[in-house]
């Protein structure tokens, strides 16, 4: 049973590895070159369309679109955010199988061969946790930088600069990741994508309701007119106050976070001290089957407590 499950995992990994198309990297560069050749002249200098953004991250691992959509839904990556990941998503999923196999081996030691079945569940959970952490970190950075970006757009529009040029200015002046998103937005507008579609992509990639409101405001102003500066100024003021409130909440919750860190570190330090004083007393947790069960329950309870405390703190500050 163990050998069969390991063979199945290796077969899945090799199948994902073999789904890349031969020579896709060269074809991606040629498609990008042809696309740039037929675009506007100033778009040839710096073009960050979805095609160009996608090629560096997923050039060597290609798969059919329906299969990619299913795998992304299971493992948690977003096809619209390929440029945000440090590695290709499929490669990150393959790397996530290593801790899943380690957890499955420990479960098999406790529950026998049936414990290997938990490897698939751990694989999915580890992958989704990694991608969610990447998305959350980028969303927090976008949220903190949004008031400055909106203020820059408002000042530029009040000075008589067109909205498209104001968006391009934000892309040049604001640090990443907000600057990268606005550069992508302005480049999409430069190659002929409509304002509404480009703003929809921006809001979808950010995953923030404030960006969706920003997209709706610009879309309505572009189609029906109106006082854009007042709307964006009010939005920037609201977001700035919410950022300040969240930072104040983080400061007030620092004691709870410190308590969580201390409580999680105490068992580790206690086990290390006991290992130095009386190793035989601690090795029972690893050598005896009943000790393995106790250790697994302790780890599960500690992880549950830490996860609950973190979820409560995050929800209270959201």
């Amino acid at each position: 049973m163990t050998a069969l499950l390991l063979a199945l995992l290796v077969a899945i990994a090799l199948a994902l590895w073999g789904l890349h198309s031969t020579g896709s990297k060269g074809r991606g560069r040629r498609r990008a070159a042809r696309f740039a050749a037929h675009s506007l002249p100033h778009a040839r200098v710096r073009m960050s369309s979805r095609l160009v953004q996608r090629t560096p991250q997923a050039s060597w691992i290609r798969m059919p679109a329906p299969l990619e959509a299913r795998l992304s839904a299971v493992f948690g990556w977003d096809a619209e955010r390929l440029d945000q990941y440090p590695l290709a998503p499929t490669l990150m999923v393959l790397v996530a199988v290593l801790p899943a196999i380690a957890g499955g081996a420990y479960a098999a030691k406790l529950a026998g061969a049936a414990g290997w079945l938990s490897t698939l569940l751990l694989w999915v959970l580890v992958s989704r946790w990694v991608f969610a952490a990447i998305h959350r970190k980028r969303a927090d950075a976008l949220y903190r930088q949004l008031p400055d970006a909106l203020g820059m757009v408002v000042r530029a529009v009040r000075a008589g600069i067109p909205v498209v040029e104001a968006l391009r200015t934000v892309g040049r002046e604001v640090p990443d990741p907000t600057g990268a998103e606005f550069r992508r937005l302005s480049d999409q507008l430069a190659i002929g994508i409509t304002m509404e579609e480009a703003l929809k992509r921006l809001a979808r990639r950010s995953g923030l309701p404030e960006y969706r409101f920003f997209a709706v405001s610009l879309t309505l102003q572009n189609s029906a007119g109106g006082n854009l500066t007042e709307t964006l100024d009010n939005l920037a003021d609201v977001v700035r106050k919410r950022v300040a409130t969240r930072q104040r909440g983080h400061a007030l919750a620092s004691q709870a976070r410190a308590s969580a860190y201390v409580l999680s570190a105490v068992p580790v330090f206690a086990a290390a001290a006991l290992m130095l004083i009386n190793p035989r007393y601690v090795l029972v947790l690893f050598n005896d089957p009943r000790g393995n069960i106790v250790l697994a329950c302790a780890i599960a309870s500690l992880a549950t407590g830490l996860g609950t405390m973190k979820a409560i703190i995050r929800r209270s500050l959201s």
Side-chain angles (χ1 to χ4, degrees):
M1 180 66 182
T2 301
L4 180 60
L5 186 57
L6 287 177
L8 179 61
L9 291 175
V10 172
I12 293 174
L14 291 177
L16 289 174
W17 185 283
L19 281 172
H20 72 279
S21 59
T22 305
S24 61
K25 188 174 183 178
R27 288 200 297 272
R29 285 198 299 263
R30 289 194 294 270
R31 286 197 300 267
R34 290 197 299 268
F35 188 69
H38 292 85
S39 302
L40 297 176
H42 57 275
R44 300 176 186 176
V45 179
R46 187 180 63 221
M47 182 181 64
S48 57
S49 66
R50 182 181 177 183
L51 177 63
V52 178
Q53 294 281 348
R54 183 186 177 92
T55 302
Q57 297 294 337
S59 57
W60 66 280
I61 299 180
R62 289 291 195 179
M63 60 185 69
L67 177 60
E68 184 178 7
R70 292 190 181 94
L71 290 178
S72 63
V74 172
F75 290 102
W77 81 77
D78 190 349
E80 293 286 341
R81 308 181 183 185
L82 295 179
D83 59 307
Q84 301 178 9
Y85 304 129
L87 299 172
T90 44
L91 181 59
M92 295 176 64
V93 170
L94 292 179
V95 173
V97 77
L98 299 178
I101 291 177
Y106 188 75
K109 187 178 180 181
L110 295 177
W116 285 106
L117 297 176
S118 63
T119 305
L120 296 176
L121 178 61
L122 291 175
W123 189 12
V124 174
L125 292 179
V126 170
S127 300
R128 295 185 70 89
W129 178 78
V130 171
F131 288 117
I134 295 175
H135 296 162
R136 185 167 57 251
K137 182 178 180 180
R138 187 178 180 89
D140 291 341
L142 289 172
Y143 189 79
R144 290 193 303 268
Q145 295 174 346
L146 181 59
D148 296 334
L150 294 179
M152 189 174 295
V153 172
V154 170
R155 290 190 296 271
V157 173
R158 284 177 176 171
I161 299 176
V163 175
V164 176
E165 185 61 31
L167 298 176
R168 188 174 292 111
T169 302
V170 173
R172 290 195 304 264
E173 301 297 333
V174 177
D176 291 341
T178 302
E181 292 294 336
F182 276 84
R183 286 194 299 270
R184 184 186 182 98
L185 174 65
S186 59
D187 290 339
Q188 288 175 349
L189 296 175
I191 62 176
I193 299 177
T194 62
M195 175 76 77
E196 181 179 1
E197 179 63 25
L199 290 171
K200 283 183 180 178
R201 295 182 183 181
L202 174 64
R204 186 166 56 247
R205 281 169 52 85
S206 66
L208 294 173
E210 289 78 13
Y211 269 84
R212 290 196 293 270
F213 188 82
F214 171 69
V216 170
S217 301
L218 280 185
T219 302
L220 291 178
Q221 192 274 339
N222 187 56
S223 59
N227 193 348
L228 178 64
T229 58
E230 183 179 356
T231 303
L232 295 184
D233 200 12
N234 293 334
L235 177 61
D237 184 61
V238 170
V239 174
R240 192 175 290 108
K241 290 180 180 178
R242 292 184 63 181
V243 170
T245 304
R246 176 178 293 185
Q247 292 176 349
R248 185 171 180 270
H250 274 288
L252 294 176
S254 59
Q255 182 178 359
R257 294 200 306 273
S259 301
Y261 297 151
V262 171
L263 290 175
S264 61
V266 165
V268 178
F269 283 104
L274 289 174
M275 180 69 73
L276 293 176
I277 298 172
N278 190 358
R280 295 178 57 186
Y281 185 78
V282 179
L283 290 178
V284 175
L285 297 174
F286 301 94
N287 298 330
D288 190 273
R290 292 170 297 180
N292 292 333
I293 296 176
V294 172
L295 181 61
C297 293
I299 294 175
S301 62
L302 182 61
T304 303
L306 289 176
T308 303
M309 292 179 68
K310 190 172 183 179
I312 291 174
I313 294 173
R314 185 184 300 119
R315 183 175 293 275
S316 63
L317 296 179
S318 61

